[in-house]
Amino acid sequence: MIVRSLADIEGTDRDVAGATWQSRRLLLRGDGMGFSMHDTLIHAGTRTEMEYRNHLEAVYCIEGRGSVTTMGGDTVAIGPGTLYALDRHDRHVLTAKETMRMICVFNPPVSGTETHDESGCYPLVPPGEESSHA
Ligand code: 9YT
């Protein structure tokens, strides 16, 4: 069994920052679960455009308020207790009115320190290779 707390991760190489977010990676590919799980902060007042072409992502908000908009779709309000799942690799924009704390699950799992490339996706890191910033 793996037991880990947020305090174990903060300030380590599992604590990964992007321009508008900070992702504390509780489970990564190397943990062997078949998915990764992140405790992520989306900073207040930011807008993040993403398109996870190589991954499926489910996002469960536990703190803070904002909205998510898919391209050509509606804007949906996000708050504590709301889940969105990008089951079609949807391009989307996340807008944080307040700092939002999200539990993010990725399939296939993120391997380490991946951050978004210019198109808003994470690279698919081949098995056995080191993860790296995109
Ligand atoms: C909600 C979202 O996708 N935020 C960007 C960071 C990412 N989810 C991560 O790596 O935790």
Side-chain angles (χ1 to χ4, degrees):
M1 184 169 73
I2 299 166
V3 178
R4 206 167 266 153
S5 68
L6 192 55
D8 296 332
I9 287 165
E10 283 170 325
T12 72
D13 56 4
R14 285 174 173 263
D15 189 346
V16 179
T20 57
W21 50 266
Q22 186 169 358
S23 174
R24 290 80 60 91
R25 298 190 166 161
L26 293 157
L27 291 170
L28 286 169
R29 183 172 70 186
D31 294 311
M33 295 294 290
F35 57 85
S36 61
M37 179 180 285
H38 316 172
D39 181 328
T40 298
L41 299 172
I42 310 290
H43 303 310
T46 62
R47 179 187 183 280
T48 312
E49 197 164 328
M50 296 167 273
E51 184 177 5
Y52 291 116
R53 290 191 306 280
N54 302 317
H55 299 83
L56 296 169
E57 185 197 26
V59 180
Y60 184 62
C61 179
I62 56 170
E63 290 174 19
R65 298 209 168 265
S67 62
V68 64
T69 306
T70 51
M71 297 306 147
D74 293 331
T75 297
V76 178
I78 304 293
T82 311
L83 166 91
Y84 64 88
L86 301 157
D87 57 335
R88 298 180 181 209
H89 304 276
D90 323 50
R91 187 161 190 84
H92 61 291
V93 179
L94 186 59
T95 304
K97 218 187 266 182
E98 305 165 356
T99 294
M100 291 194 287
R101 186 173 174 203
M102 318 287 243
I103 304 303
C104 307
V105 175
F106 280 81
N107 168 26
V110 166
S111 69
T113 58
E114 289 94 325
T115 55
H116 300 121
D117 67 12
E118 58 290 332
S119 75
C121 87
Y122 289 165
L124 203 51
V125 178
E129 278 191 23
E130 291 294 309
S131 63
S132 62
H133 291 282

